Amino acid sequence: MAISDATPAGTGGLVAWKSDAMAARRKARYAADRRLQIYGMVAIAFALGFLATLVGTLIYTGSNAFRQSMVTIDIDFSAAEFDRQNPMEANWRNIFRDAVRDDIGELSRSDERDYFSLFTSSAPFLIRDRILAEPALLDGRATFVVPLSDPFDQLAKGLVNTDLPEDQRRVTDKQIEFYNALEQQGAISRPFNWALLFNSDSRFPELAGLAGAISGSFWLLLVCFLISFPVGIAAAIYLEEFAPKNRITDLIEININNLAAVPSVVFGLLGLAVFLGTFGLPRSAPIVGGMVLALMTLPTIIIVTRAALTSVPSSIREAALGVGASKHEAIFHHILPLAMPSIMTGTIIGLAQALGETAPLLLIGMNAFITSPPEGVFEASTALPTQIYIWADSPERGFVARTSAAILVLLGFLVVMNGIAIFLRQRFERRW
């Protein structure tokens, strides 16, 4: 009997119906896939849009802080009366005012007050420091470049609306006249603000910088790394390779995983109670901040290290044991070196996360007003996140731009650290 003769009547219609149903279902699946792709692209577009808005706002606001308005003045100190053998004891504020007054001529007392308000209040001491470095300047005229005070720095950057009534702005009409006269003379300049990176904090925005915060963050991360890296690797090796599988180790593993999700403020409370309250370590010191951040980073390093050890093929371990190596030698001579790129990547990412933490550092007092960079881990210090917090809380207008600039500097460090992590992974990672 032919095969066509064995086919039941009406089978062709059934096959056609099944074919149409399968095509419809296939079309629906393809449509669902396309919708999912569209949803994903829309989500990515929203994320990139928010990121671009954030970074754009920071750049727009913080760009003013990367340029500082300066004024160039010529001062003749040859007629100044003070003990030239002991210039540190001189009244530099009066010397500065007398020298500048000779150049501007006679002014009333109120006009003098308006004129000298153009300069930063630390101008006499900036000039003193340069004269101490170059005593020969006292023998004649010398040119000095000093920052404008914050209100006139804002005026120079176009952030002061001069059309407002005089009682609604920080600068008077007379002060604006003095400023315009200096600008017409070509005495006003706006160079790159290196002081933002090389000065320490100050009550005056035109002098405030991040040197102390950057130095404090360096000591902070150094302590954090020296504690968390070896301890985290040792704990991970023990748990993964040597610890017996029982309820105690299961409890330890659960707690490590839970600690990785604990809010950072809890670690700050722990540091406040234990390191400061019990052990009496110095407040605001990087040693305390580093220890607190090390506790916070340890769970991340342990989890990453265990995952890296597990990713090494078991054949390497078996081959090492097969040629007579002990378990200790197989781990430290073969498995750990192969897992180290992934471990370093996770460690750097963990340190980058620690660099941006603010809450635990505030609780241990690392938001003090520090006017000089710390020279060790036991000196009072601040860090980049807490410096941002301090500036954001300051009422002066100039600190608004410096807050955004400090955030950009912090983001720059985070990008560099994550870039190093990606480089290490691509450079040393081995594919099995």
PDB file of all heavy atoms in Angstrom, residues 146-173:
ATOM      1  N   VAL A 146      48.007  87.539  43.720  1.00  0.00           N
ATOM      2  CA  VAL A 146      47.250  87.016  44.858  1.00  0.00           C
ATOM      3  C   VAL A 146      45.809  86.784  44.432  1.00  0.00           C
ATOM      4  O   VAL A 146      45.317  87.418  43.490  1.00  0.00           O
ATOM      5  CB  VAL A 146      47.305  87.984  46.062  1.00  0.00           C
ATOM      6  CG1 VAL A 146      48.729  88.147  46.552  1.00  0.00           C
ATOM      7  CG2 VAL A 146      46.710  89.332  45.684  1.00  0.00           C
ATOM      8  N   PRO A 147      45.117  85.878  45.098  1.00  0.00           N
ATOM      9  CA  PRO A 147      43.714  85.611  44.726  1.00  0.00           C
ATOM     10  C   PRO A 147      42.793  86.762  45.105  1.00  0.00           C
ATOM     11  O   PRO A 147      43.007  87.459  46.098  1.00  0.00           O
ATOM     12  CB  PRO A 147      43.365  84.346  45.513  1.00  0.00           C
ATOM     13  CG  PRO A 147      44.668  83.780  45.972  1.00  0.00           C
ATOM     14  CD  PRO A 147      45.595  84.928  46.118  1.00  0.00           C
ATOM     15  N   LEU A 148      41.772  86.959  44.303  1.00  0.00           N
ATOM     16  CA  LEU A 148      40.683  87.841  44.704  1.00  0.00           C
ATOM     17  C   LEU A 148      39.862  87.162  45.789  1.00  0.00           C
ATOM     18  O   LEU A 148      39.817  85.935  45.882  1.00  0.00           O
ATOM     19  CB  LEU A 148      39.786  88.161  43.504  1.00  0.00           C
ATOM     20  CG  LEU A 148      40.341  89.083  42.411  1.00  0.00           C
ATOM     21  CD1 LEU A 148      39.366  89.130  41.245  1.00  0.00           C
ATOM     22  CD2 LEU A 148      40.581  90.481  42.938  1.00  0.00           C
ATOM     23  N   SER A 149      39.211  87.958  46.612  1.00  0.00           N
ATOM     24  CA  SER A 149      38.325  87.380  47.616  1.00  0.00           C
ATOM     25  C   SER A 149      37.135  86.725  46.921  1.00  0.00           C
ATOM     26  O   SER A 149      36.844  86.999  45.749  1.00  0.00           O
ATOM     27  CB  SER A 149      37.865  88.455  48.601  1.00  0.00           C
ATOM     28  OG  SER A 149      37.124  89.446  47.924  1.00  0.00           O
ATOM     29  N   ASP A 150      36.434  85.873  47.650  1.00  0.00           N
ATOM     30  CA  ASP A 150      35.375  85.068  47.039  1.00  0.00           C
ATOM     31  C   ASP A 150      34.288  85.899  46.351  1.00  0.00           C
ATOM     32  O   ASP A 150      33.891  85.580  45.230  1.00  0.00           O
ATOM     33  CB  ASP A 150      34.759  84.152  48.104  1.00  0.00           C
ATOM     34  CG  ASP A 150      33.652  83.285  47.532  1.00  0.00           C
ATOM     35  OD1 ASP A 150      33.908  82.573  46.542  1.00  0.00           O
ATOM     36  OD2 ASP A 150      32.533  83.333  48.066  1.00  0.00           O
ATOM     37  N   PRO A 151      33.776  86.987  46.946  1.00  0.00           N
ATOM     38  CA  PRO A 151      32.731  87.744  46.229  1.00  0.00           C
ATOM     39  C   PRO A 151      33.197  88.266  44.872  1.00  0.00           C
ATOM     40  O   PRO A 151      32.428  88.268  43.898  1.00  0.00           O
ATOM     41  CB  PRO A 151      32.413  88.892  47.195  1.00  0.00           C
ATOM     42  CG  PRO A 151      32.806  88.386  48.537  1.00  0.00           C
ATOM     43  CD  PRO A 151      34.002  87.524  48.295  1.00  0.00           C
ATOM     44  N   PHE A 152      34.465  88.684  44.792  1.00  0.00           N
ATOM     45  CA  PHE A 152      34.947  89.239  43.523  1.00  0.00           C
ATOM     46  C   PHE A 152      35.416  88.138  42.576  1.00  0.00           C
ATOM     47  O   PHE A 152      35.452  88.346  41.364  1.00  0.00           O
ATOM     48  CB  PHE A 152      36.060  90.249  43.808  1.00  0.00           C
ATOM     49  CG  PHE A 152      35.570  91.414  44.598  1.00  0.00           C
ATOM     50  CD1 PHE A 152      35.692  91.436  45.975  1.00  0.00           C
ATOM     51  CD2 PHE A 152      34.922  92.470  43.966  1.00  0.00           C
ATOM     52  CE1 PHE A 152      35.210  92.506  46.710  1.00  0.00           C
ATOM     53  CE2 PHE A 152      34.435  93.538  44.697  1.00  0.00           C
ATOM     54  CZ  PHE A 152      34.566  93.548  46.078  1.00  0.00           C
ATOM     55  N   ASP A 153      35.746  86.987  43.117  1.00  0.00           N
ATOM     56  CA  ASP A 153      35.965  85.831  42.253  1.00  0.00           C
ATOM     57  C   ASP A 153      34.661  85.450  41.572  1.00  0.00           C
ATOM     58  O   ASP A 153      34.634  85.137  40.372  1.00  0.00           O
ATOM     59  CB  ASP A 153      36.511  84.672  43.087  1.00  0.00           C
ATOM     60  CG  ASP A 153      36.728  83.418  42.261  1.00  0.00           C
ATOM     61  OD1 ASP A 153      37.298  83.519  41.158  1.00  0.00           O
ATOM     62  OD2 ASP A 153      36.328  82.333  42.713  1.00  0.00           O
ATOM     63  N   GLN A 154      33.557  85.497  42.326  1.00  0.00           N
ATOM     64  CA  GLN A 154      32.250  85.244  41.729  1.00  0.00           C
ATOM     65  C   GLN A 154      31.887  86.321  40.709  1.00  0.00           C
ATOM     66  O   GLN A 154      31.326  86.028  39.652  1.00  0.00           O
ATOM     67  CB  GLN A 154      31.175  85.191  42.829  1.00  0.00           C
ATOM     68  CG  GLN A 154      31.426  84.170  43.920  1.00  0.00           C
ATOM     69  CD  GLN A 154      31.414  82.758  43.401  1.00  0.00           C
ATOM     70  OE1 GLN A 154      30.540  82.384  42.624  1.00  0.00           O
ATOM     71  NE2 GLN A 154      32.383  81.965  43.805  1.00  0.00           N
ATOM     72  N   LEU A 155      32.237  87.561  41.006  1.00  0.00           N
ATOM     73  CA  LEU A 155      31.974  88.654  40.064  1.00  0.00           C
ATOM     74  C   LEU A 155      32.768  88.453  38.779  1.00  0.00           C
ATOM     75  O   LEU A 155      32.241  88.652  37.671  1.00  0.00           O
ATOM     76  CB  LEU A 155      32.342  89.994  40.718  1.00  0.00           C
ATOM     77  CG  LEU A 155      32.200  91.243  39.841  1.00  0.00           C
ATOM     78  CD1 LEU A 155      30.738  91.466  39.456  1.00  0.00           C
ATOM     79  CD2 LEU A 155      32.768  92.472  40.555  1.00  0.00           C
ATOM     80  N   ALA A 156      34.026  88.053  38.897  1.00  0.00           N
ATOM     81  CA  ALA A 156      34.870  87.854  37.713  1.00  0.00           C
ATOM     82  C   ALA A 156      34.349  86.712  36.847  1.00  0.00           C
ATOM     83  O   ALA A 156      34.547  86.717  35.625  1.00  0.00           O
ATOM     84  CB  ALA A 156      36.309  87.590  38.136  1.00  0.00           C
ATOM     85  N   LYS A 157      33.694  85.742  37.454  1.00  0.00           N
ATOM     86  CA  LYS A 157      33.179  84.592  36.709  1.00  0.00           C
ATOM     87  C   LYS A 157      31.747  84.796  36.236  1.00  0.00           C
ATOM     88  O   LYS A 157      31.124  83.862  35.718  1.00  0.00           O
ATOM     89  CB  LYS A 157      33.261  83.337  37.586  1.00  0.00           C
ATOM     90  CG  LYS A 157      34.707  82.939  37.909  1.00  0.00           C
ATOM     91  CD  LYS A 157      34.766  81.807  38.919  1.00  0.00           C
ATOM     92  CE  LYS A 157      36.218  81.434  39.224  1.00  0.00           C
ATOM     93  NZ  LYS A 157      36.317  80.391  40.261  1.00  0.00           N
ATOM     94  N   GLY A 158      31.230  86.006  36.419  1.00  0.00           N
ATOM     95  CA  GLY A 158      29.897  86.315  35.935  1.00  0.00           C
ATOM     96  C   GLY A 158      28.779  85.733  36.762  1.00  0.00           C
ATOM     97  O   GLY A 158      27.651  85.567  36.260  1.00  0.00           O
ATOM     98  N   LEU A 159      29.039  85.408  38.029  1.00  0.00           N
ATOM     99  CA  LEU A 159      28.030  84.791  38.883  1.00  0.00           C
ATOM    100  C   LEU A 159      27.323  85.795  39.792  1.00  0.00           C
ATOM    101  O   LEU A 159      26.510  85.400  40.626  1.00  0.00           O
ATOM    102  CB  LEU A 159      28.676  83.690  39.744  1.00  0.00           C
ATOM    103  CG  LEU A 159      29.351  82.563  38.963  1.00  0.00           C
ATOM    104  CD1 LEU A 159      30.007  81.583  39.916  1.00  0.00           C
ATOM    105  CD2 LEU A 159      28.339  81.854  38.066  1.00  0.00           C
ATOM    106  N   VAL A 160      27.667  87.074  39.640  1.00  0.00           N
ATOM    107  CA  VAL A 160      27.024  88.130  40.420  1.00  0.00           C
ATOM    108  C   VAL A 160      26.192  88.981  39.470  1.00  0.00           C
ATOM    109  O   VAL A 160      26.705  89.495  38.462  1.00  0.00           O
ATOM    110  CB  VAL A 160      28.066  89.003  41.149  1.00  0.00           C
ATOM    111  CG1 VAL A 160      27.381  90.155  41.871  1.00  0.00           C
ATOM    112  CG2 VAL A 160      28.860  88.155  42.136  1.00  0.00           C
ATOM    113  N   ASN A 161      24.924  89.119  39.778  1.00  0.00           N
ATOM    114  CA  ASN A 161      24.023  89.921  38.951  1.00  0.00           C
ATOM    115  C   ASN A 161      24.154  91.381  39.371  1.00  0.00           C
ATOM    116  O   ASN A 161      23.599  91.801  40.391  1.00  0.00           O
ATOM    117  CB  ASN A 161      22.588  89.433  39.114  1.00  0.00           C
ATOM    118  CG  ASN A 161      21.625  90.133  38.171  1.00  0.00           C
ATOM    119  OD1 ASN A 161      22.031  90.986  37.377  1.00  0.00           O
ATOM    120  ND2 ASN A 161      20.353  89.792  38.262  1.00  0.00           N
ATOM    121  N   THR A 162      24.891  92.136  38.590  1.00  0.00           N
ATOM    122  CA  THR A 162      25.116  93.545  38.938  1.00  0.00           C
ATOM    123  C   THR A 162      23.895  94.414  38.674  1.00  0.00           C
ATOM    124  O   THR A 162      23.895  95.600  39.037  1.00  0.00           O
ATOM    125  CB  THR A 162      26.314  94.088  38.137  1.00  0.00           C
ATOM    126  OG1 THR A 162      26.074  93.898  36.732  1.00  0.00           O
ATOM    127  CG2 THR A 162      27.594  93.358  38.527  1.00  0.00           C
ATOM    128  N   ASP A 163      22.865  93.877  38.042  1.00  0.00           N
ATOM    129  CA  ASP A 163      21.645  94.650  37.808  1.00  0.00           C
ATOM    130  C   ASP A 163      20.750  94.706  39.033  1.00  0.00           C
ATOM    131  O   ASP A 163      19.814  95.512  39.080  1.00  0.00           O
ATOM    132  CB  ASP A 163      20.856  94.051  36.635  1.00  0.00           C
ATOM    133  CG  ASP A 163      21.619  94.146  35.319  1.00  0.00           C
ATOM    134  OD1 ASP A 163      22.405  95.096  35.181  1.00  0.00           O
ATOM    135  OD2 ASP A 163      21.433  93.256  34.453  1.00  0.00           O
ATOM    136  N   LEU A 164      21.025  93.851  40.014  1.00  0.00           N
ATOM    137  CA  LEU A 164      20.225  93.878  41.234  1.00  0.00           C
ATOM    138  C   LEU A 164      20.531  95.132  42.037  1.00  0.00           C
ATOM    139  O   LEU A 164      21.607  95.724  41.909  1.00  0.00           O
ATOM    140  CB  LEU A 164      20.520  92.639  42.080  1.00  0.00           C
ATOM    141  CG  LEU A 164      20.058  91.285  41.534  1.00  0.00           C
ATOM    142  CD1 LEU A 164      20.562  90.163  42.440  1.00  0.00           C
ATOM    143  CD2 LEU A 164      18.539  91.235  41.418  1.00  0.00           C
ATOM    144  N   PRO A 165      19.610  95.542  42.899  1.00  0.00           N
ATOM    145  CA  PRO A 165      19.905  96.679  43.789  1.00  0.00           C
ATOM    146  C   PRO A 165      21.124  96.375  44.662  1.00  0.00           C
ATOM    147  O   PRO A 165      21.424  95.221  44.967  1.00  0.00           O
ATOM    148  CB  PRO A 165      18.627  96.811  44.625  1.00  0.00           C
ATOM    149  CG  PRO A 165      17.557  96.185  43.791  1.00  0.00           C
ATOM    150  CD  PRO A 165      18.223  95.081  43.029  1.00  0.00           C
ATOM    151  N   GLU A 166      21.797  97.417  45.072  1.00  0.00           N
ATOM    152  CA  GLU A 166      23.059  97.245  45.801  1.00  0.00           C
ATOM    153  C   GLU A 166      22.877  96.475  47.096  1.00  0.00           C
ATOM    154  O   GLU A 166      23.761  95.705  47.494  1.00  0.00           O
ATOM    155  CB  GLU A 166      23.664  98.621  46.082  1.00  0.00           C
ATOM    156  CG  GLU A 166      25.071  98.577  46.660  1.00  0.00           C
ATOM    157  CD  GLU A 166      25.647  99.970  46.830  1.00  0.00           C
ATOM    158  OE1 GLU A 166      24.873 100.941  46.877  1.00  0.00           O
ATOM    159  OE2 GLU A 166      26.884 100.090  46.925  1.00  0.00           O
ATOM    160  N   ASP A 167      21.744  96.634  47.755  1.00  0.00           N
ATOM    161  CA  ASP A 167      21.541  95.967  49.032  1.00  0.00           C
ATOM    162  C   ASP A 167      21.172  94.496  48.874  1.00  0.00           C
ATOM    163  O   ASP A 167      21.005  93.794  49.865  1.00  0.00           O
ATOM    164  CB  ASP A 167      20.453  96.687  49.840  1.00  0.00           C
ATOM    165  CG  ASP A 167      19.116  96.751  49.095  1.00  0.00           C
ATOM    166  OD1 ASP A 167      19.094  96.399  47.883  1.00  0.00           O
ATOM    167  OD2 ASP A 167      18.110  97.142  49.710  1.00  0.00           O
ATOM    168  N   GLN A 168      21.047  94.011  47.615  1.00  0.00           N
ATOM    169  CA  GLN A 168      20.713  92.613  47.384  1.00  0.00           C
ATOM    170  C   GLN A 168      21.886  91.814  46.815  1.00  0.00           C
ATOM    171  O   GLN A 168      21.701  90.691  46.362  1.00  0.00           O
ATOM    172  CB  GLN A 168      19.512  92.517  46.433  1.00  0.00           C
ATOM    173  CG  GLN A 168      18.233  93.108  47.005  1.00  0.00           C
ATOM    174  CD  GLN A 168      17.050  92.948  46.063  1.00  0.00           C
ATOM    175  OE1 GLN A 168      17.088  92.139  45.131  1.00  0.00           O
ATOM    176  NE2 GLN A 168      15.978  93.709  46.305  1.00  0.00           N
ATOM    177  N   ARG A 169      23.065  92.363  46.818  1.00  0.00           N
ATOM    178  CA  ARG A 169      24.249  91.634  46.365  1.00  0.00           C
ATOM    179  C   ARG A 169      25.400  91.863  47.330  1.00  0.00           C
ATOM    180  O   ARG A 169      25.375  92.812  48.145  1.00  0.00           O
ATOM    181  CB  ARG A 169      24.636  92.030  44.946  1.00  0.00           C
ATOM    182  CG  ARG A 169      24.563  93.492  44.604  1.00  0.00           C
ATOM    183  CD  ARG A 169      24.871  93.716  43.131  1.00  0.00           C
ATOM    184  NE  ARG A 169      24.398  94.991  42.630  1.00  0.00           N
ATOM    185  CZ  ARG A 169      25.064  96.138  42.712  1.00  0.00           C
ATOM    186  NH1 ARG A 169      26.252  96.164  43.296  1.00  0.00           N
ATOM    187  NH2 ARG A 169      24.553  97.255  42.211  1.00  0.00           N
ATOM    188  N   ARG A 170      26.404  91.014  47.202  1.00  0.00           N
ATOM    189  CA  ARG A 170      27.515  91.038  48.161  1.00  0.00           C
ATOM    190  C   ARG A 170      28.559  92.087  47.835  1.00  0.00           C
ATOM    191  O   ARG A 170      29.447  92.336  48.642  1.00  0.00           O
ATOM    192  CB  ARG A 170      28.185  89.653  48.198  1.00  0.00           C
ATOM    193  CG  ARG A 170      27.277  88.536  48.652  1.00  0.00           C
ATOM    194  CD  ARG A 170      27.976  87.204  48.562  1.00  0.00           C
ATOM    195  NE  ARG A 170      29.135  87.143  49.419  1.00  0.00           N
ATOM    196  CZ  ARG A 170      30.036  86.159  49.395  1.00  0.00           C
ATOM    197  NH1 ARG A 170      29.893  85.172  48.527  1.00  0.00           N
ATOM    198  NH2 ARG A 170      31.061  86.168  50.206  1.00  0.00           N
ATOM    199  N   VAL A 171      28.507  92.684  46.673  1.00  0.00           N
ATOM    200  CA  VAL A 171      29.494  93.695  46.283  1.00  0.00           C
ATOM    201  C   VAL A 171      28.769  95.013  46.038  1.00  0.00           C
ATOM    202  O   VAL A 171      27.664  95.056  45.483  1.00  0.00           O
ATOM    203  CB  VAL A 171      30.265  93.254  45.018  1.00  0.00           C
ATOM    204  CG1 VAL A 171      31.119  92.038  45.312  1.00  0.00           C
ATOM    205  CG2 VAL A 171      29.329  92.948  43.859  1.00  0.00           C
ATOM    206  N   THR A 172      29.410  96.100  46.472  1.00  0.00           N
ATOM    207  CA  THR A 172      28.817  97.420  46.308  1.00  0.00           C
ATOM    208  C   THR A 172      29.226  98.015  44.967  1.00  0.00           C
ATOM    209  O   THR A 172      30.127  97.515  44.284  1.00  0.00           O
ATOM    210  CB  THR A 172      29.269  98.343  47.439  1.00  0.00           C
ATOM    211  OG1 THR A 172      30.700  98.539  47.344  1.00  0.00           O
ATOM    212  CG2 THR A 172      28.934  97.737  48.801  1.00  0.00           C
ATOM    213  N   ASP A 173      28.553  99.091  44.611  1.00  0.00           N
ATOM    214  CA  ASP A 173      28.881  99.763  43.356  1.00  0.00           C
ATOM    215  C   ASP A 173      30.315 100.291  43.384  1.00  0.00           C
ATOM    216  O   ASP A 173      31.014 100.270  42.359  1.00  0.00           O
ATOM    217  CB  ASP A 173      27.904 100.915  43.109  1.00  0.00           C
ATOM    218  CG  ASP A 173      26.490 100.427  42.838  1.00  0.00           C
ATOM    219  OD1 ASP A 173      26.346  99.258  42.406  1.00  0.00           O
ATOM    220  OD2 ASP A 173      25.532 101.188  43.080  1.00  0.00           O
TER     221      ASP A 173
END
